[in-house]
Amino acid sequence: MKIAGLISFVMILVTAAFAQPLYPDYYDKTCPQALSTIKRVVDDAVQQEKRMGASLLRLHFHDCFVNGCDGSVLLDSTPEFESEKMAAPNRNSARGFEVIDRIKSEVDHACGHPVVSCADILAVAARDSVVALGGPYWDVLLGRRDATSASKSAADADIPAPTLDLSGLINSFQNHGLDVHDLVALSGGHTIGFAQCRLFRDHIYNDSNIDPEFRRELQAICPRNGDDTNLHSLDPTPAFFDTNYYRNVLVQRGLLHSDKALLESPETGGAVAAYSLNLNAFAKDFVISIVKMGNIKPLTGDQGQIRYNCRKVNYG
Ligand code: HEM
Ligand SMILES: *[C@@H]1O[C@H](CO)[C@@H](O)[C@H](O)[C@H]1NC(C)=O
C-alpha cells in the first residue's frame, strides 16, 4: 500500500515534470466529434474562399515557430503582453482568426464543454486545409495545451523573413529542430496561397536570375512605389496542393527571395528539382516534416490551459 502510494506519487511528479507525447486519438473519449467538427468548418470556409486554406496552414506555422505550437499566435493584446498579431511577419498579413473562432465555438458546443485546445485546433485545421486543396492526409498528433501568454518580440525574432538567404533560412529552421530537408519540404507550403507586393518587391526589382517574362508580369502588378498590398499567387495554381511551386522555383519564377534561395546550394536545389517531378515524394516528405513541426515544444500534462476563447487567456 505504502509502496503503491509512493509509486503513484512519483508517477505524478514524473508526468508533471516531463512533456507528454502527443497522439492522434487524444480526444476520442472526451470529444469524439472534435475532428469531424473542425473538418466541417474548414471545408465550409475553404469552399467560400480557397485562399483560406493557405491562410490556416500558415497560421499553424507561425504558431509553432514562436515558443512552440501553443496557440500563442491567436491571443489578442492585453496589458501584460502585446499580441503576436502585431509582429512584422503577421501584421496586415496573418489571417484566418475568425475561422478559428468559429471552429472553437462549434467544437466546444459539440463537446458540451471546452476540452479541445486552440493549438490542436490550428494543427488539425492546417491538415484539413491541405486536404481540402487536394494535398495529402496525415494523422495529426494531439494533446497540445494553450499558452497563457504571447510574445511579439519572439514572433519578430523567430519567424523567418522572406529577405533571408539560404544560410539564414537553414539557421531559422535549425533553431526549431528542423533540418535542411524539412526546410525544402515545408517551403512547399507555398504551393498554395498568395503574397503581397511589399513582400516580393525587392526580389522582383533587385535580384538577378529571374525569368524576364515573370519579372515583367510581376512589375506590372507591383510598382516600385505604392500598391503595397496587391496580391500575386505564390505559384500558378494557388488553390491546388501540387508540385507547381517547385517547378516554378526551378525555372526562376519563385515569388519570394526566400523561395529562390532554395537554389543556392546543390543539396537544396537538388531537392527542389526532385520534388518538381514527383508529387508523391513531395507529399510524403511534407507530411513527415509538418508532423515534426507540429511537435515543436508543445505544452502538455498540467502545463498551460484549455482556453475558452482562442483570443483570450482564461482567468480564475
Ligand atoms: C521558409 C521560410 C518561409 C518564409 C520566409 C515565408 C514567407 C512568407 C511570406 C512573406 C508570405 C506572404 C505573406 C503576405 O503577403 O501577407 C508567405 C505566405 C504563405 N506561407 Fe510562407 N514562408 C516560409 C515558410 C512557410 C512554411 C513552412 C509554410 C507552411 C508549411 C508556409 C505557408 C505559407 C502559405 C500557405 C502562405 C500563403 C498565405 C495566404 O495566402 O494567406 N510558409 N510566406
Ligand atoms: C533596390 O536596391 C536599391 C539600391 O540598393 C534600393 O535603393 C531600392 O530601395 C531597392 N528596392 C527597389 C524596389 O528598388
Side-chain angles (χ1 to χ4, degrees):
M1 211 46 207
K2 259 188 170 163
I3 298 275
L6 183 65
I7 288 172
S8 59
F9 177 66
V10 170
M11 293 279 286
I12 287 165
L13 282 185
V14 166
T15 54
F18 293 96
Q20 304 289 292
L22 307 177
Y23 57 96
D25 45 1
Y26 187 82
Y27 295 111
D28 281 10
K29 290 259 157 55
T30 53
C31 185
Q33 315 89 321
L35 297 188
S36 59
T37 305
I38 298 171
K39 179 174 161 48
R40 180 170 48 72
V41 181
V42 169
D43 283 350
D44 184 64
V46 173
Q47 200 187 330
Q48 280 183 44
E49 188 207 8
K50 300 281 189 185
R51 187 187 174 195
M52 190 50 71
S55 304
L56 293 172
L57 172 62
R58 185 168 183 241
L59 272 191
H60 177 46
F61 163 52
H62 284 202
D63 184 30
C64 292
F65 265 53
V66 184
N67 295 320
C69 314
D70 61 358
S72 59
V73 69
L74 303 173
L75 290 171
D76 288 340
S77 291
T78 71
E80 283 78 45
F81 56 79
E82 209 176 341
S83 174
E84 291 170 18
K85 298 172 189 181
M86 304 307 285
N90 291 329
R91 199 179 337 121
N92 300 319
S93 177
R95 58 199 295 280
F97 299 107
E98 298 77 12
V99 176
I100 298 299
D101 291 341
R102 205 183 125 203
I103 295 172
K104 176 64 174 165
S105 89
E106 296 208 15
V107 167
D108 284 357
H109 185 251
C111 310
H113 55 148
V115 291
V116 180
S117 69
C118 299
D120 278 347
I121 285 174
L122 267 185
V124 174
R127 187 271 315 274
D128 291 342
S129 293
V130 166
V131 170
L133 297 175
Y137 177 90
W138 65 93
D139 284 329
V140 179
L141 305 183
L142 298 167
R144 299 169 190 81
R145 291 169 62 85
D146 294 325
T148 52
S149 79
S151 172
K152 172 181 177 285
S153 57
D156 274 319
D158 295 346
I159 298 172
T163 49
L164 291 178
D165 288 326
L166 182 62
S167 61
L169 294 169
I170 290 175
N171 241 311
S172 168
F173 274 59
Q174 216 156 47
N175 290 338
H176 295 94
L178 300 172
D179 63 24
V180 63
H181 304 288
D182 300 314
L183 168 64
V184 182
L186 287 172
S187 293
H190 291 174
T191 179
I192 54 177
F194 293 80
Q196 301 172 56
C197 165
R198 63 185 175 89
L199 296 165
F200 58 78
R201 177 179 282 131
D202 281 344
H203 174 54
I204 60 163
Y205 284 97
N206 283 350
D207 279 359
S208 50
N209 302 320
I210 294 179
D211 177 288
E213 189 197 346
F214 185 66
R215 194 195 291 277
R216 274 196 298 277
E217 178 195 328
L218 289 171
Q219 290 182 349
I221 66 135
C222 184
R224 269 185 198 276
N225 295 296
D227 286 346
D228 279 8
T229 59
N230 278 4
L231 293 174
H232 194 277
S233 61
L234 286 157
D235 87 354
T237 50
F240 293 97
F241 194 98
D242 56 22
T243 58
N244 277 338
Y245 166 73
Y246 296 106
R247 288 168 53 161
N248 279 270
V249 168
L250 200 60
V251 297
Q252 310 191 321
R253 289 169 164 256
L255 185 61
L256 304 176
H257 177 80
S258 51
D259 295 328
K260 173 195 167 68
L262 298 179
L263 300 179
E264 282 174 35
S265 86
E267 188 187 24
T268 52
V272 168
Y275 290 149
S276 76
L277 298 171
N278 190 338
L279 178 60
N280 284 335
F282 165 43
K284 181 171 156 285
D285 288 353
F286 182 85
V287 163
I288 290 170
S289 294
I290 200 162
V291 170
K292 209 166 147 185
M293 184 180 90
N295 259 318
I296 298 175
K297 282 179 35 194
L299 300 173
T300 59
D302 62 358
Q303 301 168 316
Q305 58 180 210
I306 305 298
R307 273 180 225 146
Y308 301 145
N309 174 340
C310 289
R311 295 175 185 264
K312 290 187 185 131
V313 173
N314 308 338
Y315 292 102

